[in-house]
Amino acid sequence: MIDNKKVLFSGMQATGNLTLGNYLGALKNWVTLSDEYECFYSVVDMHSITIRQDPAALRRRARSLLILYIAAGLDPEKNCIYYQSHVSGHAELAWILNCFTYMGELNRMTQFKDKAAKHADNINAGLFTYPVLMAADILLYQADVVPVGIDQMQHLELTRDIAQRFNGIYGDVFTIPEAYIGKVGAKIMSLQDPAKKMSKSDENPNGSIYLMDDADTIRRKCKRAVTDSLGEFRYSDEQPGLHNLIDIYCACTGLTPDAVVKEFSGSGYGQFKEAVGEAVVSVLDPLQKRVAELEKDKAYIDRVIKSNAEKATYYSQKTLRKVQKKVGFPSFS
C-alpha cells in the first residue's frame, strides 16, 4: 500500500515488436489503472537475456518499449515506468528467493519446458530460474495485484507460494499478491492461425499486426486474414477467423459484436476486412505519431528514465533491506 493505494506491478519483455494484441489486450487497459492503483510498469530487460540478444538491438528495443508505454497514455508522473536492469534490487532479491524455492517447483513450470524445446542449444540456468526473478519483480514492490494471462498464472502461484513460505519462517514480510481481475482486454488471435494468440514471435509476419506497421501494411494484413468458406456473417466459435476480426473491430471501435453483425450482415468478408483495416489504422495512427514525437525528445525520455529508476529503487530498497535483515545479512553501520 502506497499513499492509501494498492500496488500493481506488470511488465513486458524488450524482445520482438509489440503487436496489436499486446496493445488491445494489455497496454491500453494499463492506462486506466493508475487512478485506482500505484502502478509499477517495468521494461523487463533482465528477463530478455535468457535468450541470446544482440546488445545494441536490446538497448534499442528497451528504449522503444519504454517510449511505447508513454505514447499509449501512461503518465510517468503517475506511474513508475522503468528499466528492470536499472534497479539492482530485482537481482538481489531474486538470489535470496532462489534459496527459498524448490527444484521440484521449478521443474513443473511449463514455460521452461516450452522455451527449452524452442532453444535446445541454450538451456541455461537463467531460463530455469526465470520464475524466481518474476517473483522478485512482484514482491520487491509489495504488489497487491498483478495483471496476468492464463500462461502466467502458474508463475503467479509460485510467487505466492514463495512469499507464504518466507513469511512462514520470518513473519509478515511480503504482501501476498493476487491476480488482477478487472476489465478484460480483448484477446486477439493470429490473423493467419486464429487458434493461436497474436504473437510478437510469430514466424509468419502476416499473422500479427505490429504497432509500428504503416497503414498500407495494416490494410494488406487485414485483407489477407484467414476467414472461412461459409460466407455467413456470424459471431460464432465455428468461424474463428471471422470471430477474431470482429473482436478486433469491436476493440478498435467500441461497438458490440451484435452491432457489428447487424451492420455487416449481408456484406462480403472482403468489405469487412477493409473496414477492420481502417479501424486498426485509426487506432494506431495517433499512437505512432506520439511515438515519433517522443523519440525526438531525447532529453525528456532520459529524464523519465532517471527519475523513475530512482523512484523504483527507493521503494525496492525498503523491501530489500527488510528481507536482508530477516535472513541475517549484516547491516551498514
Side-chain angles (χ1 to χ4, degrees):
M1 191 81 71
I2 298 175
D3 295 332
N4 294 319
K5 281 186 176 182
K6 288 186 175 181
V7 176
L8 180 146
F9 175 88
S10 194
M12 293 184 184
Q13 282 201 50
T15 54
N17 298 308
L18 290 195
T19 69
L20 181 69
N22 297 128
Y23 177 69
L24 296 177
L27 193 51
K28 182 180 178 184
N29 292 321
W30 286 4
V31 177
T32 65
L33 298 174
S34 59
D35 290 333
E36 184 178 355
Y37 297 99
E38 184 72 31
C39 299
F40 291 82
Y41 293 122
S42 181
V43 174
V44 289
D45 48 351
M46 290 170 65
H47 285 292
S48 302
I49 64 169
T50 57
I51 299 169
R52 293 285 177 265
Q53 304 289 336
D54 174 80
L58 179 60
R59 280 190 288 271
R60 185 174 63 252
R61 286 195 300 266
R63 188 178 181 91
S64 295
L65 179 54
L66 187 139
I67 287 173
L68 266 172
Y69 283 2
I70 301 171
L74 292 175
D75 183 350
E77 297 294 326
K78 294 175 67 177
N79 305 276
C80 188
I81 302 169
Y82 70 100
Y83 294 138
Q84 182 188 30
S85 62
H86 280 191
V87 181
S88 63
H90 287 267
E92 293 179 77
L93 183 58
W95 171 250
I96 295 172
L97 297 183
N98 267 316
C99 300
F100 293 84
T101 307
Y102 300 132
M103 294 287 287
E105 291 174 317
L106 294 177
N107 276 325
R108 289 194 293 273
M109 295 292 108
T110 55
Q111 281 211 343
F112 168 70
K113 297 172 185 176
D114 293 342
K115 289 189 176 183
K118 291 179 182 177
H119 304 279
D121 59 336
N122 183 29
I123 305 175
N124 57 73
L127 193 62
F128 187 64
T129 60
Y130 174 105
V132 184
L133 178 57
M134 182 178 288
D137 298 338
I138 296 165
L139 299 178
L140 195 59
Y141 301 100
Q142 303 290 354
D144 296 281
V145 292
V146 184
V148 290
I150 293 173
D151 57 338
Q152 295 291 346
M153 273 303 299
Q154 191 182 35
H155 289 164
L156 182 60
E157 286 303 321
L158 178 64
T159 298
R160 289 169 53 84
D161 290 343
I162 295 169
Q164 288 167 344
R165 183 174 301 137
F166 194 95
N167 286 357
I169 299 169
Y170 297 109
D172 188 17
V173 177
F174 292 122
T175 300
I176 308 301
E178 301 283 348
Y180 169 74
I181 301 173
K183 181 181 177 182
V184 178
K187 186 178 181 182
I188 306 302
M189 312 305 284
S190 165
L191 297 179
Q192 294 299 310
D193 183 359
K196 299 191 308 184
K197 268 188 11 177
M198 185 177 287
S199 170
K200 57 185 179 179
S201 60
D202 195 331
E203 294 179 0
N204 184 347
N206 290 315
S208 297
I209 294 173
Y210 300 107
L211 295 189
M212 301 310 294
D213 278 346
D214 61 56
D216 288 341
T217 298
I218 292 169
R219 294 184 182 107
R220 185 175 67 252
K221 288 181 177 181
C222 288
K223 285 180 181 178
R224 292 178 177 175
V226 169
T227 47
D228 54 67
S229 58
L230 297 179
E232 298 179 22
F233 202 93
R234 297 183 300 154
Y235 187 64
S236 166
D237 290 340
E238 297 171 2
Q239 297 172 271
L242 182 59
H243 189 291
N244 186 42
L245 289 175
I246 293 174
D247 283 338
I248 293 172
Y249 192 72
C250 289
C252 291
T253 62
L255 296 172
T256 65
D258 286 344
V260 176
V261 170
K262 184 177 180 180
E263 179 182 350
F264 288 93
S265 181
S267 303
Y269 292 161
Q271 182 179 342
F272 181 59
K273 288 179 182 180
E274 289 181 6
V276 173
E278 294 305 324
V280 174
V281 168
S282 70
V283 166
L284 295 189
D285 180 65
L287 175 72
Q288 293 172 357
K289 287 177 178 175
R290 180 60 176 148
V291 166
E293 291 173 0
L294 290 168
E295 286 177 338
K296 292 176 183 176
D297 198 344
K298 182 177 183 298
Y300 170 69
I301 296 300
D302 288 345
R303 284 198 304 272
V304 167
I305 290 170
K306 184 175 185 296
S307 63
N308 279 226
E310 290 171 350
K311 179 179 178 180
T313 297
Y314 169 77
Y315 284 108
S316 69
Q317 288 298 308
K318 292 174 72 172
T319 297
L320 188 61
R321 295 293 172 252
K322 182 189 294 186
V323 171
Q324 289 171 331
K325 182 178 180 180
K326 290 290 185 181
V327 300
F329 292 172
S331 60
F332 290 99
S333 56

